[in-house]
Amino acid sequence: DWSSDVCSSDLPISRERIAELKVPVLVAVGTKDVMAGSAQLLAQLIPHAKSFEILENDHIKAVGASAFKEAALSFLAEGEA
């Protein structure tokens, strides 16, 4: 069970472990986020992942942005179809 590894920020997650994900994933990162890295590069490692850039937002403000909320709702709606 790899989920226990994710709970600790001290443990890196290997590319192999990320590739084991079986659910759709939305990787959303603010374009001014200097902590998270590239949404596109991470999404490329995850099967069935999509990336989304939250324009003009940093690591903290990105989740409150209306663009993120709209993208998340759209992504979730795709899974219901």
Side-chain angles (χ1 to χ4, degrees):
D1 182 337
W2 67 271
S3 61
S4 60
D5 293 346
V6 176
C7 294
S8 172
S9 61
D10 296 334
L11 296 174
I13 302 172
S14 70
R15 289 174 182 250
E16 292 79 18
R17 297 298 292 255
I18 289 174
E20 292 175 9
L21 290 170
K22 304 291 186 216
V23 296
V25 174
L26 176 65
V27 180
V29 175
T31 57
K32 292 186 175 183
D33 188 336
V34 296
M35 298 173 64
S38 169
Q40 293 86 3
L41 292 177
L42 180 55
Q44 289 173 4
L45 299 175
I46 304 171
H48 312 293
K50 292 187 175 187
S51 65
F52 180 74
E53 290 188 334
I54 308 160
L55 299 178
E56 300 298 316
N57 279 269
D58 62 19
H59 193 75
I60 302 300
K61 295 180 181 176
V63 295
S66 60
F68 168 70
K69 294 173 186 175
E70 291 171 14
L73 290 172
S74 176
F75 178 78
L76 292 170
E78 289 176 14
E80 294 178 354

